[in-house]
Amino acid sequence: MSFRMDPDWLPFHPNPSQPRFLLPPGSVDAHCHVFGPGDQFPFAPERKYTPCDAGKDELFKLRDFLGFERNVVVQATCHGADNSAMADALRASDGRARGVATVRPDVTDEQLAELHEAGVRGARFNFVKRLVDPKPDEYYHGIVERIARLGWHVVLYFEAADLAERWEFFTWLPTVVVVDHMGRPDVTAPVDGPEFGRFLTLMRDHPQFYAKVTCPERLTVAGPPGYDDVVPFARTLVESFPDRVLWGTDWPHPNLKSHMPDDGRLVDFIPRIAETADAQQRLLVDNPTRLYWGQE
Ligand code: 0GY
């Protein structure tokens, strides 16, 4: 089947620059996606966007170019709960990629076992209305119980406003919980204000939570190249919770409207939020390796 990408879709950067920041050996790009290719892995009928193709070959090329050793491939909503493109990337990676799947309550035990065998170690629950039709908390209860048995964790993607609304459910989760993109703070609000304060409280009082200090290009209002307005938010998390932060490119950067980042420059953002070699080692190597490869 052939697909036409949305007319306002911004494709990923065709030739990113070589990062100036040298990634430590064993670095993991802990948040990236694959899209199709659509003729091999069709996009889901219920999707809210149709992207450009961005398959595993492109992803692995970028991994090598930037200096990462491993990837965590997160199921993108344009593929719904058909995890084939993601699982195919994991299988082709020679053990160098793990995955986060989208599963529905009707997933079979065989399907879960197959995903685990391919390298999936988490399930993503998405509450962003622009991307999915959010489900009530009860929808997830059975899924949580089944994935917990496999030792998987939960990845949450939500807008800052959802945190108050779903607080009880999120903090009830019995597994490790990873939050995408710092819970999407409004970076024009103060870093020590009530909104981000709620997220910091979540992290402080619930040691099972991890935060991805990702997506300056998505959260910024000030814009590139410095993404200066995002720095204090990410740096606060890295400094406060050095063992519970993860970093990723978010390649191929779905649904950006203002600009497409140069992935090399995104890597150069890392030392601004993780200023010491020790913080960089934990963020890029130790934390993701423990979480995704720890049970090898
Ligand atoms: C991200 C962010 C976005 C998209 C998705 O699965 C997705 O479609 O996660 C977004 O549009 O904010 O994490 O890639």
Side-chain angles (χ1 to χ4, degrees), residues 195-229:
E195 187 198 86
F196 199 57
R198 191 189 301 277
F199 189 72
L200 294 174
T201 301
L202 177 77
M203 291 290 294
R204 191 165 296 126
D205 293 350
H206 302 277
Q208 74 275 29
F209 274 75
Y210 282 62
K212 288 183 192 159
V213 289
T214 37
C215 279
E217 73 287 1
R218 194 177 288 288
L219 300 174
T220 188
V221 175
Y227 305 124
D228 295 341
D229 48 353

Side-chain angles (χ1 to χ4, degrees), residues 31 33 49 75-78 124 126 130-131 157 181 184 218 250 254-255:
H31 187 97
H33 308 286
Y49 62 85
Q75 173 74 354
T77 56
C78 57
R124 192 185 201 202
N126 196 322
R130 173 170 65 70
L131 296 170
Y157 191 24
H181 317 331
R184 294 197 59 111
R218 194 177 288 288
D250 195 32
N255 302 309

Side-chain angles (χ1 to χ4, degrees), residues 71-88:
N71 296 105
V72 178
V73 187
V74 177
Q75 173 74 354
T77 56
C78 57
H79 280 295
D82 176 354
N83 295 284
S84 318
M86 184 269 292
D88 174 69

Side-chain angles (χ1 to χ4, degrees), residues 171-287:
T171 57
W172 162 84
L173 289 165
T175 61
V176 164
V177 183
V178 180
V179 180
D180 283 345
H181 317 331
M182 305 186 268
R184 294 197 59 111
D186 171 0
V187 298
T188 65
V191 69
D192 55 359
E195 187 198 86
F196 199 57
R198 191 189 301 277
F199 189 72
L200 294 174
T201 301
L202 177 77
M203 291 290 294
R204 191 165 296 126
D205 293 350
H206 302 277
Q208 74 275 29
F209 274 75
Y210 282 62
K212 288 183 192 159
V213 289
T214 37
C215 279
E217 73 287 1
R218 194 177 288 288
L219 300 174
T220 188
V221 175
Y227 305 124
D228 295 341
D229 48 353
V230 184
V231 171
F233 293 83
R235 194 189 284 162
T236 298
L237 286 167
V238 170
E239 286 174 359
S240 309
F241 311 102
D243 295 320
R244 294 192 278 132
V245 283
L246 303 170
W247 194 86
T249 56
D250 195 32
W251 186 90
H253 311 288
N255 302 309
L256 290 183
K257 298 290 176 241
S258 65
H259 70 289
M260 181 51 54
D262 171 335
D263 297 279
R265 295 286 87 88
L266 275 185
V267 169
D268 289 334
F269 185 75
I270 297 171
R272 298 187 60 208
I273 62 169
E275 294 179 294
T276 66
D278 178 59
Q280 293 160 6
Q281 171 73 22
R282 296 189 207 196
L283 172 68
L284 295 162
V285 185
D286 299 349
N287 301 342

Side-chain angles (χ1 to χ4, degrees), residues 24-123:
S27 287
V28 181
D29 177 353
H31 187 97
C32 52
H33 308 286
V34 287
F35 299 152
D39 58 2
Q40 201 184 343
F41 300 107
F43 300 118
E46 73 274 20
R47 70 191 179 279
K48 306 258 182 178
Y49 62 85
T50 305
C52 62
D53 283 333
K56 61 179 186 294
D57 298 339
E58 294 285 346
L59 175 66
F60 296 156
K61 235 191 306 172
L62 182 75
R63 173 198 67 197
D64 295 344
F65 176 77
L66 296 176
F68 287 99
E69 282 184 20
R70 292 168 156 176
N71 296 105
V72 178
V73 187
V74 177
Q75 173 74 354
T77 56
C78 57
H79 280 295
D82 176 354
N83 295 284
S84 318
M86 184 269 292
D88 174 69
L90 306 190
R91 289 199 178 94
S93 74
D94 237 346
R96 294 173 68 188
R98 294 289 197 236
V100 174
T102 296
V103 292
R104 298 196 174 131
D106 62 359
V107 68
T108 66
D109 287 340
E110 290 70 25
Q111 287 168 327
L112 285 176
E114 256 176 52
L115 289 169
H116 188 86
E117 194 273 324
V120 170
R121 295 294 180 268

